[in-house]
Amino acid sequence: MNLLDRIRMALDQFSSAEHAVATLVLKDPSGFQKMPVTELAKRAGVSSPSVVRFCRTLGYEGLSDFKLKLAASMTEGVPFVHQTVQASDTGETLIQKVLDNAIHTLRTFRNTAPAKPIDKAAQLLAKTIAKKGRLVFYGVGNSGFVALDAEHKFFRMGCTAHAYSDGHLQIMAASMLNKGDCLIIISNSGRSQDLLDATQIARSAGANTLAITASGSPLAQAVQVHIPADHGEYYEQYSPMVSRLLHLCIVDILATQVAIQLGDSVQKNMARLKKNLIESRYTK
């Protein structure tokens, strides 16, 4: 899913002024890139600040950042779109489709991902860890494996991290959260009622909430920080493949950014962990 598709999905979430700017982008994306903010505002029938506000609503730093990502989205040089896997596909065709779909999705995310929500999420996670809060990761189905991977990555930093994939346990764990804790939900569709219920419970308890999920989904609107994870794969068909890879990469980005922010403390924990693992392996 490219940037224009993401804007189309989010149309209902915009204010009237932002909707006018979005309509202008969708009508003439190439022209939008070339016009100054005053001309864009005039053509959309809004104020110049409304144009900038539209860009920031999508998670970009401003108009210049949005134009750069819009240009990259339109000229990313990928000569294919997401190709649906068919039961009649040969082994060779399956290899090409699965790998091409993964490459296309990750490249599109690289070219269009807004840095602002990722930076905000990393800061939230780093703050939670620094203040000894708990990180709780939720995912269902394939997203449950991503939640486990996230638990493993952040646990190694020396913080309290848990992953839950069972709906009942998710509700129970959300009920035990406190102010200073952070709930991180990973979801392909962002429409699971159990996850929405858990999110509301966590927020009522004072915990922070973060979601890696599709734009325009109920979950994206229910959390405090949303990282858009959009792709062209229909999650109803077969087993979601590119969505899982995309979510894993986003977790890797967050873990790396948090580790950099925490600095020496993470390095010391990792060194101690490595030392103990080596000693345990070779002293028996």
Side-chain angles (χ1 to χ4, degrees):
M1 180 179 297
N2 62 29
L3 180 53
L4 296 177
D5 289 332
R6 196 175 141 226
I7 293 172
R8 289 188 189 95
M9 287 184 62
L11 279 174
D12 293 340
Q13 301 178 46
F14 296 134
S15 66
S16 57
E18 292 168 348
H19 192 281
V21 180
T23 301
L24 182 63
V25 177
L26 296 174
K27 182 179 179 181
D28 184 14
S30 297
F32 191 96
Q33 299 173 48
K34 301 172 185 177
M35 288 183 275
V37 64
T38 51
E39 181 65 21
L40 292 172
K42 180 180 178 180
R43 295 201 179 194
V46 300
S47 65
S48 294
S50 294
V51 176
V52 178
R53 194 176 302 114
F54 162 78
C55 301
R56 290 177 175 168
T57 296
L58 286 169
Y60 299 100
E61 294 296 331
L63 179 60
S64 296
D65 184 29
F66 174 78
K67 283 184 175 181
L68 285 173
K69 295 300 174 66
L70 178 60
S73 176
M74 295 176 63
T75 60
E76 60 183 7
V78 181
F80 54 82
V81 295
H82 190 282
Q83 304 174 77
T84 303
V85 172
Q86 304 292 338
S88 59
D89 287 340
T90 64
E92 181 179 359
T93 302
L94 280 174
I95 291 171
Q96 292 176 352
K97 282 187 176 181
V98 171
L99 294 181
D100 283 352
N101 287 342
I103 293 168
H104 171 70
T105 298
L106 296 180
R107 182 176 291 179
T108 299
F109 182 78
R110 182 198 66 184
N111 290 342
T112 63
K116 188 175 180 180
I118 294 176
D119 289 341
K120 189 174 181 180
Q123 291 170 6
L124 177 60
L125 295 174
K127 181 179 179 181
T128 302
I129 295 172
K131 293 190 174 183
K132 307 299 181 183
R134 292 174 291 173
L135 300 182
V136 179
F137 299 91
Y138 284 6
V140 179
N142 278 292
S143 298
F145 294 107
V146 182
L148 285 171
D149 180 75
E151 176 193 45
H152 180 255
K153 283 184 170 63
F154 284 92
F155 171 77
R156 293 189 304 165
M157 296 184 192
C159 67
T160 302
H162 301 288
Y164 299 95
S165 58
D166 178 84
H168 292 292
L169 289 177
Q170 288 171 347
I171 295 296
M172 292 170 63
S175 301
M176 296 296 105
L177 293 176
N178 299 306
K179 185 177 180 181
D181 296 331
C182 185
L183 172 62
I184 305 96
I185 310 105
I186 303 153
S187 174
N188 187 22
S189 68
R191 299 181 182 280
S192 166
Q193 189 58 50
D194 285 344
L195 292 177
L196 290 169
D197 291 343
T199 300
Q200 183 58 47
I201 292 171
R203 293 197 65 171
S204 297
N208 293 307
T209 54
L210 158 67
I212 301 171
T213 192
S215 299
S217 65
L219 182 59
Q221 300 175 51
V223 296
Q224 294 157 292
V225 181
H226 167 231
I227 298 178
D230 300 312
H231 53 84
E233 180 180 67
Y234 294 103
Y235 65 90
E236 295 92 346
Q237 294 185 350
Y238 299 104
S239 177
M241 294 174 282
V242 298
S243 58
R244 183 179 68 254
L245 295 175
L246 177 58
H247 292 161
L248 286 168
C249 285
I250 293 173
V251 169
D252 281 350
I253 292 168
L254 288 175
T256 302
Q257 197 163 345
V258 169
I260 291 172
Q261 290 185 26
L262 295 177
D264 290 342
S265 62
V266 171
Q267 296 299 323
K268 290 177 181 178
N269 286 330
M270 295 293 288
R272 183 170 66 250
L273 176 62
K274 183 177 180 180
K275 176 178 178 293
N276 290 334
L277 286 173
I278 291 174
E279 290 179 351
S280 174
R281 182 178 302 172
Y282 292 107
T283 56
K284 291 183 180 180

